[in-house]
Amino acid sequence: MCPVGGGLVSGGALFGRATFVAHCLLVEMAKGLVLVDTGFGLADVATPKELGRPFLFATRPELRPEQTAVRQIEALGFDPRDVRDVVVTHLDLDHAGGLSDFPEAKVHVFAKEHLAATTRPTLQERERYRAVQFSHSPKWEVHEVEGDTWEGFGAVRVLFDDVLLVPLLGHSRGHSAVAVRDGDGWLLHAGDAYFHEGELLDPPSCPPGLELFQAALSFDDAARRENQRRLRSLAKAKSNVRIFSAHSRSEYQRLRDDRAKRV
Ligand SMILES: [Zn+2]
């Protein structure tokens, strides 16, 4: 996504081009493939107007088929039908668009998020969730916010031995992070709990336009800020938990480069 506002939203040069990724994570497990978040899908590429004018105007997404999760999974040599489970941080249109490319997969989500996305009770929720992205009747696996503790976070749902749903309600009603075991440590896909890598630093920093954008999008802004504080403490305390947001391009590139070195 290349929103208007340049440096005011992404940092760097004031009139530079702001770019945000939609970071999906593919997990290879013995039982099959697990996809964390789906970004935009082939249907969004085919008919972008379904994403709604306000979103298209504000974020100017570059929608190309080869950038979708399903095409990238194929390019890696996998069969997309082996994606048996999809775990979503939340169901905003830039995270759920690819669901219809994996119609047979179970879709794991918190109950509050599922209810908000499928009933869209407020004006804001009618824009952020697109009914057309769920029109193929996804195989929902709805989870309550309750369960174990992990690294100081409570009510964590263990989906599989190595994949956890970690509640971070605030950005949306049922927003979560997804923790995936990676060797001796963890990857933590924090979804939209924060957008800019500076927000994990102490003291935190964020370009002003992006801070306003996040506050305006939040279902519960106080909870969103508290989540960021908790993520900052985790980042400080645990070097073996690698936290990244769904939209930071620099975090995405660093992870991709590190992975390329290891493979
Ligand atoms: Zn998002």
Side-chain angles (χ1 to χ4, degrees):
M1 288 165 274
C2 312
V4 289
L8 287 176
V9 293
S10 67
L14 187 57
F15 296 106
R17 187 176 131 114
T19 52
F20 292 91
V21 297
H23 193 152
C24 308
L25 194 62
L26 184 67
V27 188
E28 232 184 316
M29 298 180 74
K31 69 193 282 299
L33 300 171
V34 177
L35 181 64
V36 180
D37 269 3
T38 70
F40 297 106
L42 291 173
D44 301 317
V45 176
T47 49
K49 70 172 187 345
E50 298 285 0
L51 295 169
R53 255 193 232 178
F55 178 80
L56 291 172
F57 175 76
T59 69
R60 300 190 295 177
E62 278 183 13
L63 298 163
R64 296 197 299 270
E66 68 273 17
Q67 294 268 306
T68 60
V70 65
R71 290 287 180 260
Q72 292 198 57
I73 287 168
E74 286 168 352
L76 287 167
F78 294 111
D79 184 338
R81 286 171 301 187
D82 288 336
V83 175
R84 309 268 161 76
D85 296 273
V86 172
V87 187
V88 285
T89 59
H90 61 306
L91 289 166
D92 275 355
L93 75 180
D94 53 326
H95 299 256
L99 286 178
S100 56
D101 295 328
F102 306 93
E104 296 304 319
K106 289 180 189 159
V107 181
H108 299 268
V109 63
F110 277 131
K112 286 180 181 186
E113 185 70 12
H114 173 259
L115 186 67
T118 50
T119 58
R120 305 192 299 154
T122 65
L123 251 183
Q124 189 205 43
E125 284 163 320
R126 277 199 282 284
E127 281 302 325
R128 72 189 302 167
Y129 304 119
R130 309 307 290 181
V132 69
Q133 292 182 337
F134 315 128
S135 60
H136 63 290
S137 303
K139 295 185 170 161
W140 301 113
E141 288 279 316
V142 170
H143 301 275
E144 294 301 328
V145 179
E146 60 185 20
D148 298 344
T149 55
W150 173 83
E151 301 292 0
F153 287 77
V156 169
R157 291 305 288 218
V158 178
L159 298 179
F160 317 108
D161 281 350
D162 295 334
V163 182
L164 318 174
L165 204 52
V166 181
L168 288 180
L169 316 185
H171 172 73
S172 63
R173 289 182 200 245
H175 182 278
S176 68
V178 181
V180 178
R181 197 187 296 275
D182 183 38
D184 294 334
W186 293 86
L187 293 170
L188 186 66
H189 189 315
D192 288 4
Y194 72 99
F195 276 58
H196 190 267
E197 58 184 342
E199 290 172 291
L200 285 195
L201 301 176
D202 191 11
S205 67
C206 183
L210 191 56
E211 177 57 33
L212 280 174
F213 179 74
Q214 292 186 73
L217 273 184
S218 291
F219 173 72
D220 179 341
D221 203 46
R224 176 186 72 87
R225 287 168 193 281
E226 172 60 13
N227 289 337
Q228 290 193 353
R229 191 196 59 72
R230 295 158 76 209
L231 289 171
R232 263 195 299 282
S233 325
L234 178 62
K236 213 170 175 177
K238 292 280 178 173
S239 58
N240 67 338
V241 181
R242 189 148 182 190
I243 308 170
F244 58 94
S245 93
H247 296 306
S248 165
R249 186 186 180 89
S250 52
E251 287 175 341
Y252 167 74
Q253 281 175 332
R254 265 201 301 279
L255 270 165
R256 195 182 58 177
D257 292 349
D258 289 355
R259 178 108 345 212
K261 273 184 228 153
R262 280 165 55 178
V263 173

